[in-house]
Amino acid sequence: MKWNLLPVKNVSFQILWSRCPMRGLAYHCRSRLGPWRRKVSDKTDEGGLKKNPNVTVITTDYSPTSLAHAFTGQDAVLSLLGLSAIGDQQYALIEAAAKAGVKRFLPSEFGIDTASAQVLATVPPFRVRAELIDDIKAKQAAGSPMEWTAVVTGFFLDWGFHVGFLGLDVGKHTAEIWDDGDVPFTVSNLSLVARTVVKLLTDAAAYEASRNAYVYTGSATTTQKELLAATEKATNAKFEVTRVEGQKLIDESTTKLAGGDGAAVLPLVKAVAFARFDGEALTDLRKYGLFNEKFGIKEDSIEAMVKTLIEKWHELPYSRYVAPTVG
C-alpha cells in the first residue's frame, strides 16, 4: 500500500524514563516539535512533558488496549526505550503500531551498528534489536504496510563525554585509553540525532531515503587519542592515562557474560568502538555514508565541540544523569 509522501503530522514518542541517554534524546526531539501536536506515551515520569503545550501525554501499561489508544491516528512511532526495556515491551509497541495503522516505526536503536554480524557476535544481548527489525519485516511480508527506519549513531558524544563513557573523567583529569587509542569511531551529539530524526520525518526526500533502512549519523569520527588531546587542551590540564589491554578485556568480558554477569555487556559495547576486529573499526560509520551530511546537517570539529562541552558543562539538559547500568 503506497501513501502520499508528505511530512508526517503526528508522531508518538514511546518513552520509558530511565538513567540513560534516551532521556536526553527525547529532550532534544521535543524541543524541535514546532507547532505540531504530538502524543507521548510515557510510563513513569510525565510531569515535565505536561508543561509542553505541543505534547499530549498518554500513560500506558503496555497492554494492547492502552497502546491502541496511544497510537490511534499516529503517522509514526519513535521508540526511546533503554536496553533493559527493548525486548517484550518493544515487541508490544510494534504489534500495536502495526494494528493501529502507523506508517513508520523507529525502533530503539540509536547506538552501535546492530546491522553488523560482528557487532552482534561481540555483544549478544543486542541481537534483540536486529530481531525486532526482522519482526517488522515479517509483518510486511504478511501484508502490513508499516515501514521502519533504524538510526545508528555510534556513541553519543555529549552524553558519553559528560558521564565518562568515552574513557575520560574530566573532573579527576584521568583517562582510560584502549591500547594505543588510535581506533577511529563515529560519535553523534544528541542534538544532531534529534535534528536528523526530525528531518527524516518531515522532509519528503529524507523520508523516502530512510524507508525500510538503517541510516547512519555522525557529528564527527575521532579516536580516543584525539579526544584526549582535545580535552587536555580545553581544560588546560594533563590527564593521567591508564592503558586498557583491549583483547584481554574482551576475552574476560565475553567469559563473564556467558556466565550470566550482565555488567560485562558494557566493556563489550566499548570494545565495538575502541578495538579493531580483524583489522576493522566497527564503529567508523563513514563507510556507510552519513545520512545527516547527505541532508545538510553538519557540526564543528571534534576540538571545537569538546571546547563547547567543557564551557557549558553545567548547562546540558542531562548533566544530572549517571553512567548507564545494565539490568
Side-chain angles (χ1 to χ4, degrees):
M1 176 180 175
K2 299 285 285 187
W3 57 286
N4 194 18
L5 280 180
L6 294 175
V8 299
K9 295 182 179 180
N10 296 295
V11 178
S12 176
F13 289 72
Q14 197 69 32
I15 306 167
L16 178 63
W17 288 127
S18 61
R19 298 180 297 178
C20 78
M22 291 301 186
R23 189 167 187 170
L25 181 54
Y27 172 92
H28 284 289
C29 286
R30 291 200 315 273
S31 71
R32 289 167 171 80
L33 292 179
W36 305 339
R37 297 297 296 180
R38 292 293 193 272
K39 291 184 179 180
V40 179
S41 297
D42 176 16
K43 188 176 181 182
T44 59
D45 181 2
E46 53 190 51
L49 293 176
K50 286 182 175 178
K51 298 176 183 178
N52 187 331
N54 293 324
V55 174
T56 299
V57 177
I58 299 176
T59 304
T60 179
D61 59 4
Y62 291 89
S63 66
T65 300
S66 68
L67 289 175
H69 173 57
F71 293 158
T72 297
Q74 300 303 291
D75 297 314
V77 171
L78 173 59
S79 179
L80 300 174
L81 302 178
L83 177 60
S84 62
I86 54 179
D88 293 342
Q89 286 177 331
Q90 191 160 216
Y91 276 114
L93 304 186
I94 292 170
E95 184 70 22
K99 288 182 177 180
V102 169
K103 298 166 183 174
R104 181 71 64 91
F105 190 94
L106 281 70
S108 294
E109 288 285 336
F110 307 105
I112 57 179
D113 182 16
T114 58
S116 164
Q118 182 62 68
V119 167
L120 297 183
T122 305
V123 195
F126 277 54
R127 287 175 182 156
V128 66
R129 297 189 176 187
E131 291 165 356
L132 287 161
I133 299 297
D134 290 339
D135 185 55
I136 299 176
K137 291 178 179 179
K139 285 178 167 52
Q140 290 175 333
S144 171
M146 188 173 74
E147 302 162 352
W148 59 275
T149 301
V151 182
V152 178
T153 63
F155 288 172
F156 293 125
L157 173 60
D158 41 5
W159 176 85
F161 186 81
H162 204 280
V163 302
F165 196 73
L166 301 178
L168 304 175
D169 188 319
V170 175
K172 296 180 179 178
H173 294 164
T174 59
E176 288 188 352
I177 304 298
W178 285 52
D179 301 319
D180 294 328
D182 60 356
V183 177
F185 57 93
T186 300
V187 290
S188 297
N189 283 318
L190 291 166
S191 58
L192 177 131
V193 178
R195 289 163 63 197
T196 303
V197 167
V198 170
K199 184 72 171 179
L200 70 84
L201 289 175
T202 60
D203 180 276
Y207 188 87
E208 177 65 23
S210 61
R211 177 192 300 271
N212 296 329
Y214 285 86
V215 300
Y216 297 83
T217 70
S219 295
T221 298
T222 186
T223 64
Q224 281 195 298
K225 183 186 295 185
E226 181 181 41
L227 197 57
L228 172 60
T231 306
E232 289 183 330
K233 181 176 181 180
T235 58
N236 193 31
K238 189 69 176 177
F239 279 47
E240 180 181 346
V241 175
T242 300
R243 295 289 172 181
V244 175
E245 294 183 43
Q247 191 58 56
K248 180 181 178 181
L249 183 55
I250 291 170
D251 293 341
E252 291 174 350
S253 299
T254 299
T255 299
K256 289 180 181 179
L257 183 61
D261 184 356
V265 169
L266 292 182
L268 294 175
V269 170
K270 291 182 179 182
V272 168
F274 301 152
R276 283 188 170 87
F277 292 80
D278 295 326
E280 182 182 3
L282 296 177
T283 309
D284 184 348
L285 305 180
R286 294 173 297 181
K287 55 182 175 285
Y288 301 110
L290 297 178
F291 187 88
N292 54 289
E293 292 186 353
K294 293 177 183 177
F295 289 92
I297 303 173
K298 299 181 181 181
E299 294 199 306
D300 214 330
S301 68
I302 193 70
E303 184 173 296
M305 287 189 286
V306 166
K307 183 175 183 292
T308 298
L309 287 171
I310 294 295
E311 291 174 347
K312 298 185 176 182
W313 188 262
H314 297 293
E315 298 177 27
L316 299 176
Y318 35 84
S319 61
R320 62 190 179 279
Y321 293 178
V322 299
T325 57
V326 176

